[in-house]
């Protein structure tokens, strides 16, 4: 009988490859902006946590009907077509005198498509159900590229790697300043639909409208925004996590396990699967780090909440693909997490999620306008990212079938992050991937697999 929580291991391997070409892809027809024009980015697009590239990986087996070179040409032509309505991706970011980012348009910009090949086969890669740090070179980075560099970079970088079996991978890097997860899936779906149907297909019609999220004048900060707060880490909790080399752990969690966790909150409170799973991960993480002390040390759990449905004054249009998320933050001291019942932790996550309102999002925008944090604060913090609501497999069908894997590559650069991932055709199971110090990873597994 398959266990309700199953640890999944990724193979250790190296993937030698050769870069064959690096080509700029420009919009296939004229676009509205002229050289020198700029586009406004909201404070949600421009916040420190958005100034990154999000890498994702898609693997495809050979379908025997179309050779990879034909596939690459289809990808190039459809990408050029979809860049017409999604023309901001063809620009670049620059910083204003006030330190704020904006999109600007100039000559010889566009996005980047890299062609590569490997003598390995898809089968040689082993298990393709969980993220694997060994896939890193399947997503292109520039030689000596600075970490977190977004200024004057192509805002979309795609690498197509051909394998000797006829299968291939598509590795994407998308600048988070242009879109959140929902927006990225909207763009990917438009690109895939355009390739699959051999004609420009965008549904919904993309909408920029970042000015809808301008700050108040004067700014109105109505909440303390502890998600941005710097916590004094006097006993080096965070420093310890950053100094040791983290290991990535992945688990397949059945729908039955998720449903049982939800019942632990009690009969009178309604919670979501996310509330219950996030609480269980947070509690297991804290308990696994057994030397977390003192017991009154403040801990934070942060996670993004999609605010599209919460915004009414004015509402966002259906094709809005910018960042429309607010960071929810649950707090507790160590004792409350370790010694309290899990029902209390679930309630903390639930309250944090429900506390995100339109007023909270507007206050966040104004907080960034006034304070403009320049670095991420990790003190006592675990961040959970939920990808289970994204139709990653369906959105990435370019005409040769759904990918056999769709998701992130490597969590180890961010040791205080956990990701919930969908599994294709999995009957409601999800993947939970997290990074931990190696000496805590076995304890985490033992605790996480328990139902109480």
């Amino acid at each position: 009988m398959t266990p309700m929580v199953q640890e999944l291991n990724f193979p250790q391997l190296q993937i030698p490859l050769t870069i064959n070409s690096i080509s700029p892809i420009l919009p296939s027809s004229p676009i509205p902006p002229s050289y020198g024009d700029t586009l406004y980015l909201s404070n949600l697009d421009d916040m420190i946590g958005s100034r990154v590239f999000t890498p994702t990986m898609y693997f495809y087996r050979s379908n025997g009907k179309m050779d990879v070179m034909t596939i690459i040409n289809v990808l190039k032509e459809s990408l050029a077509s979809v860049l017409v309505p999604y023309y901001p991706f063809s620009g670049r970011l620059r910083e204003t005198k006030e330190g704020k980012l904006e999109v600007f348009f100039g000559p010889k910009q566009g996005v980047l498509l890299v062609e590569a090949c490997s003598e390995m086969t898809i089968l040689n890669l082993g298990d393709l159900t969980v993220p694997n740090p060994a896939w890193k070179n399947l997503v292109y980075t520039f030689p000596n590229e600075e970490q977190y560099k977004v200024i004057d970079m192509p805002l979309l970088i795609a690498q197509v790697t051909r394998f000797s079996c006829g299968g291939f991978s598509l590795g994407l890097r998308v600048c988070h300043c242009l879109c959140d997860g929902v927006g990225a899936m909207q763009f990917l779906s438009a690109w895939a639909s355009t390739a699959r149907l051999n004609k420009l297909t965008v549904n919904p019609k993309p909408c920029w409208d970042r000015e809808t999220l301008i700050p108040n004048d004067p700014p109105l900060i109505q909440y303390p925004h502890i998600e941005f707060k710097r916590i004094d880490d006097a006993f080096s909790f965070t420093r310890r996590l950053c100094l040791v080399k983290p290991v990535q752990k992945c688990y397949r969690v059945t729908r039955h396990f998720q449903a049982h966790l939800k019942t632990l909150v009690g009969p009178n409170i309604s919670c979501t699967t996310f509330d219950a799973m996030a609480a269980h991960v947070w509690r297991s993480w804290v308990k696994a780090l057994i030397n977390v002390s003192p017991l009154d040390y403040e801990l934070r759990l942060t996670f993004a909440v999609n605010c599209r449905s919460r915004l009414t004054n004015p509402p966002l249009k259906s094709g809005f693909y910018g960042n429309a998320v607010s960071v929810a933050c649950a707090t507790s001291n160590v004792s409350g997490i370790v010694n309290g019942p899990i029902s209390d932790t679930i309630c903390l996550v639930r309250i944090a999620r429900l506390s995100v309102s339109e007023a909270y999002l507007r206050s966040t925008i104004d907080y960034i306008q006034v304070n403009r944090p320049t670095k991420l604060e990790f003190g006592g913090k675990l961040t959970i990212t939920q990808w289970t609501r994204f139709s990653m497999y369906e959105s990435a069908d370019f005409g040769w079938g759904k990918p056999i894997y769709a998701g992130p590559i490597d969590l180890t650069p961010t040791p205080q992050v956990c990701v919930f991932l969908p599994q294709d055709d999995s009957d409601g199971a999800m993947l939970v991937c997290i990074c931990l110090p190696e000496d805590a990873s076995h304890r985490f597994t033992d605790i996480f697999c328990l139902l109480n």
Side-chain angles (χ1 to χ4, degrees):
M1 182 178 177
T2 304
M4 289 192 290
V5 178
Q6 180 183 10
E7 183 177 355
L8 303 175
N9 297 306
F10 55 83
Q12 305 289 330
L13 63 133
Q14 291 184 332
I15 307 176
L17 57 80
T18 302
I19 300 292
N20 295 323
S21 68
I22 301 175
S23 308
I25 306 294
L26 302 172
S28 59
S29 59
I31 58 175
S34 302
Y35 291 165
D37 286 352
T38 62
L39 287 174
Y40 175 79
L41 288 169
S42 80
N43 283 346
L44 301 179
D45 298 318
D46 189 27
M47 64 191 294
I48 186 64
S50 297
R51 292 188 175 202
V52 295
F53 278 87
T54 303
T56 50
M57 199 73 232
Y58 305 85
F59 287 99
Y60 300 86
R61 292 192 180 95
S62 171
N63 64 6
K65 300 177 182 178
M66 193 181 298
D67 65 86
V68 178
M69 292 310 299
T70 301
I71 286 172
I72 291 174
N73 287 332
V74 169
L75 287 171
K76 285 182 175 180
E77 291 175 6
S78 56
L79 181 55
S81 295
V82 85
L83 282 177
V84 177
Y86 283 96
Y87 61 87
F89 281 94
S90 66
R92 295 290 186 271
L93 297 183
R94 70 181 179 190
E95 202 165 48
T96 67
K97 293 179 180 178
E98 294 76 30
K100 184 167 175 56
L101 295 180
E102 63 183 7
V103 181
F104 79 99
F105 297 89
K108 298 180 181 179
Q109 291 183 338
V111 303
L112 212 61
L113 194 139
V114 178
E115 297 177 45
C117 62
S118 173
E119 293 300 316
M120 297 181 73
T121 66
I122 290 283
L123 193 62
N124 293 149
L125 301 180
D127 187 3
L128 293 178
T129 59
V130 295
N132 191 334
W135 302 341
K136 188 176 181 181
N137 62 342
L138 298 176
V139 177
Y140 185 75
T141 56
F142 291 96
N144 304 314
E145 181 181 319
E146 298 173 26
Q147 191 177 28
Y148 304 127
K149 181 181 178 181
V150 294
I151 293 174
D152 206 25
M153 288 276 289
L155 300 177
L156 170 70
I157 301 171
Q159 177 176 321
V160 183
T161 302
R162 293 181 285 126
F163 295 98
S164 60
C165 60
F168 67 98
S169 64
L170 175 63
L172 297 180
R173 294 177 69 200
V174 179
C175 183
H176 205 326
C177 296
L178 259 67
C179 55
D180 58 13
V182 173
M185 288 301 104
Q186 180 181 310
F187 172 83
L188 180 66
S189 179
W191 182 11
S193 297
T194 298
R196 189 173 63 249
L197 301 174
N198 196 28
K199 64 177 182 178
L200 180 61
T201 307
V202 288
N203 184 24
K205 183 180 178 181
C207 165
W208 186 254
D209 272 12
R210 308 303 165 99
E211 293 81 6
T212 304
L213 300 173
I214 60 173
N216 289 302
D217 187 14
L220 180 60
I221 302 172
Q222 303 182 70
Y223 300 88
H225 292 291
I226 51 178
E227 64 270 27
F228 298 114
K229 179 183 174 184
R230 185 179 186 277
I231 291 180
D232 182 23
D233 212 357
F235 71 99
S236 302
F237 167 70
T238 307
R239 195 175 303 119
R240 171 179 173 261
L241 288 176
C242 293
L243 286 177
V244 299
K245 184 178 181 180
V247 295
Q248 178 177 289
K249 291 287 186 178
C250 295
Y251 307 87
R252 183 182 186 273
V253 182
T254 64
R255 182 172 58 179
H256 180 74
F257 187 94
Q258 299 169 47
H260 183 81
L261 277 178
K262 290 175 66 176
T263 67
L264 299 180
V265 75
N268 300 319
I269 299 176
S270 174
C271 73
T272 65
T273 298
F274 176 82
D275 296 338
M277 283 297 301
H280 184 52
V281 168
W282 191 20
R283 200 162 180 254
S284 302
W285 182 73
V286 175
K287 285 187 172 185
L289 300 167
I290 55 174
N291 62 342
V292 178
S293 61
L295 290 177
D296 62 352
Y297 180 68
E298 184 180 356
L299 299 171
R300 290 176 290 180
L301 176 76
T302 58
F303 52 93
V305 175
N306 181 3
C307 292
R308 282 167 172 79
S309 63
R310 290 168 163 83
L311 289 167
T312 60
N313 187 29
L316 293 176
K317 295 179 182 177
S318 63
F320 182 86
Y321 59 95
N323 287 276
V325 297
S326 186
V327 180
C329 185
T331 63
S332 173
N333 59 28
V334 173
S335 179
I337 298 294
V338 172
N339 299 322
I342 190 172
S343 57
D344 287 357
T345 311
I346 294 174
C347 286
L348 289 174
V349 178
R350 178 179 180 271
I351 291 168
R353 174 177 57 81
L354 293 176
S355 297
V356 174
S357 60
E358 179 165 19
Y360 193 91
L361 183 75
R362 298 285 179 186
S363 179
T364 300
I365 292 169
D366 289 358
Y367 181 92
I368 297 169
Q369 182 70 16
V370 172
N371 297 284
R372 201 158 295 281
T374 57
K375 61 178 291 188
L376 293 170
E377 295 296 341
F378 292 102
K381 184 190 288 187
L382 175 67
T383 296
I384 294 181
T385 302
Q386 183 183 24
W387 290 23
T388 53
R389 292 179 178 267
F390 300 156
S391 54
M392 300 188 67
Y393 289 86
E394 293 76 14
S395 297
D397 183 354
F398 289 81
W400 37 84
K402 292 190 293 186
I404 53 179
Y405 173 86
I409 299 171
D410 182 12
L411 274 63
T412 52
T414 49
Q416 290 171 246
V417 170
C418 173
V419 181
F420 295 172
L421 298 172
Q423 277 206 297
D424 190 36
D425 302 324
S426 65
D427 192 29
M430 74 163 68
L431 284 179
V432 174
C433 299
I434 190 169
C435 282
L436 299 143
E438 189 165 10
D439 63 352
S441 61
H442 299 297
R443 289 192 299 273
F444 179 87
T445 300
D446 292 340
I447 298 165
F448 184 65
C449 291
L450 297 176
L451 267 172
N452 50 42

